[in-house]
Amino acid sequence: MKLTSGPAGSTRQSTMEGTGFADSRQQEAGAVAQRQTVGESFVADPRMTARDVAVYYGDKCAIRSISIDVGCNEVLAMIGPSGCGKSTFLRCLNRMNDTVPGCRVTGEIRLDGEDIYAPSVDVVPLRARVGMVFQKPNPFPKSIFDNVAYGPKIHGLTRTKAELEEIVETSLSKAGLWEEVKDRLQEPGTGLSGGQQQRLCIARAIAVSPEVILMDEPCSALDPIATARIEDLIAELRLQYSIVIVTHAMQQASRVSQRTAYFHLGDLIEVGPTERVFTNPRHRLTEDYITGRFG
Ligand SMILES: Nc1ncnc2c1ncn2[C@@H]1O[C@H](COP(=O)(O)OP(=O)(O)OP(=O)(O)O)[C@@H](O)[C@H]1O
């Protein structure tokens, strides 16, 4: 994947602008330098592009001027201390923030070049194209089969029962769950173990042929073995989809992702190839975080 650095336009304005004092100007330059995203935010062939994205909850600005691409067939990890805005940004990518009262999103986000916030965009098909897997596995109170079949049915993706069965089997296979559940498809999804439930939720996302899968700390409720299975699965899914994952586990980010984005207090501080970000961070705040001095 070819990477490119952030343009000058990704610099955010300092709140000290216009003070007129020399030392203030120096501080301002420092503040701007600190808030400019360093590294490689952009890729040559993006699946999604976010430009100058800000999110407000009421009057409170949760993230400011975020510009970043999501590449095809990459896992992009988003890391940073609690409350820095990772989940808020993730939710912008499939307009999940639309469901949060008082939440306002500004800037521009495109999927395959199409503005996903355009008034003409229907969020139901959008959320099939940009699927989401949550922190806590949340299967529907339905059978294993129906959990996976539900999406294709409501999106009209199949014409016959055989086609639907085919999608269910393929999705469960891709999610690494088919062998474990093929003889109990009519049992409730909620009867599976936590790790199996999370793979069921991944199968549910896959069943509607997404282009991007968003994962918000998908392993935080799982034991190490179930976590390892999901991480292996993420590596396989990348071959077909783009994946954006929020994780608190830096080891996990380094294991599963090709690029890592570091957020800090609502700013996107640094983006780059994962190995480089973890071994040779360019921004002091990134370094402080990954070495455990902050967060
Ligand atoms: N629904 C909401 N209403 C008001 N403020 C919110 C809401 N959701 C998030 N926030 C605030 O927005 C900021 C960013 O929160 P967000 O959950 O995106 O951070 P995060 O980096 O994902 O945190 P964590 O790692 O703890 O999940 C925080 O200050 C948070 O309190």
Side-chain angles (χ1 to χ4, degrees):
M1 183 166 44
K2 194 159 171 262
L3 305 174
T4 51
S5 313
S10 69
T11 305
R12 278 162 287 287
Q13 285 191 340
S14 164
T15 51
M16 299 178 66
E17 208 162 74
T19 55
F21 297 101
D23 58 344
S24 296
R25 279 201 302 272
Q26 274 176 0
Q27 285 178 25
E28 181 187 338
V32 169
Q34 185 172 320
R35 293 169 112 201
Q36 181 174 9
T37 303
V38 300
E40 295 93 353
S41 302
F42 306 116
V43 300
D45 180 24
R47 172 67 74 194
M48 295 193 83
T49 57
R51 295 293 179 268
D52 214 16
V53 172
V55 176
Y56 300 83
Y57 294 108
D59 293 339
K60 189 185 155 206
C61 181
I63 54 173
R64 275 174 294 271
S65 195
I66 307 292
S67 293
I68 190 171
D69 291 344
V70 178
C72 297
N73 307 110
E74 80 162 339
V75 180
L76 171 65
M78 302 203 297
I79 62 168
S82 192
C84 65
K86 308 176 294 291
S87 300
T88 295
F89 179 68
L90 190 78
R91 289 195 300 263
C92 291
L93 297 175
N94 71 348
R95 292 186 52 176
M96 212 53 130
N97 285 323
D98 288 14
T99 62
V100 179
C103 182
R104 187 164 58 88
V105 178
T106 63
E108 185 187 83
I109 299 183
R110 292 180 179 271
L111 170 63
D112 298 327
E114 183 192 352
D115 179 1
I116 67 167
Y117 283 83
S120 56
V121 169
D122 180 347
V123 293
V124 175
L126 170 69
R127 290 185 191 139
R129 290 171 72 193
V130 186
M132 191 145 191
V133 175
F134 296 88
Q135 186 168 0
K136 199 166 165 291
N138 60 345
F140 301 137
K142 290 173 179 286
S143 68
I144 294 168
F145 183 93
D146 284 343
N147 260 277
V148 185
Y150 181 79
K153 271 190 205 162
I154 62 161
H155 291 289
L157 300 183
T158 55
R159 280 164 303 176
T160 63
K161 190 161 167 277
E163 276 179 12
L164 189 60
E165 285 170 353
E166 163 92 37
I167 288 193
V168 170
E169 178 174 343
T170 309
S171 307
L172 287 166
S173 299
K174 283 187 192 166
L177 192 58
W178 174 249
E179 287 303 321
E180 287 159 71
V181 302
K182 65 182 181 196
D183 299 323
R184 49 191 289 205
L185 292 174
Q186 294 313 319
E187 291 178 22
T190 48
L192 296 170
S193 74
Q196 288 173 325
Q197 286 188 25
Q198 199 59 305
R199 279 181 279 141
L200 180 62
C201 293
I202 292 172
R204 189 174 67 188
I206 291 172
V208 288
S209 303
E211 294 166 60
V212 182
I213 304 176
L214 310 177
M215 297 185 169
D216 197 350
E217 298 185 50
C219 302
S220 64
L222 306 182
D223 65 34
I225 293 172
T227 296
R229 289 211 64 168
I230 299 282
E231 289 184 3
D232 289 346
L233 180 56
I234 290 171
E236 284 167 32
L237 295 176
R238 172 174 80 91
L239 305 176
Q240 242 184 306
Y241 311 99
S242 302
I243 297 175
V244 186
I245 179 171
V246 168
T247 177
H248 272 283
M250 285 187 269
Q251 298 264 9
Q252 178 167 77
S254 68
R255 283 192 296 265
V256 303
S257 71
Q258 285 68 54
R259 271 193 316 151
T260 292
Y262 174 64
F263 285 73
H264 179 95
L265 296 176
D267 288 313
L268 177 56
I269 300 295
E270 177 162 359
V271 187
T274 295
E275 196 183 337
R276 205 265 301 143
V277 169
F278 281 104
T279 55
N280 188 19
R282 291 187 186 153
H283 199 291
R284 183 182 51 77
L285 289 172
T286 318
E287 185 176 359
D288 285 353
Y289 184 71
I290 64 171
T291 55
R293 281 199 289 270
F294 182 86

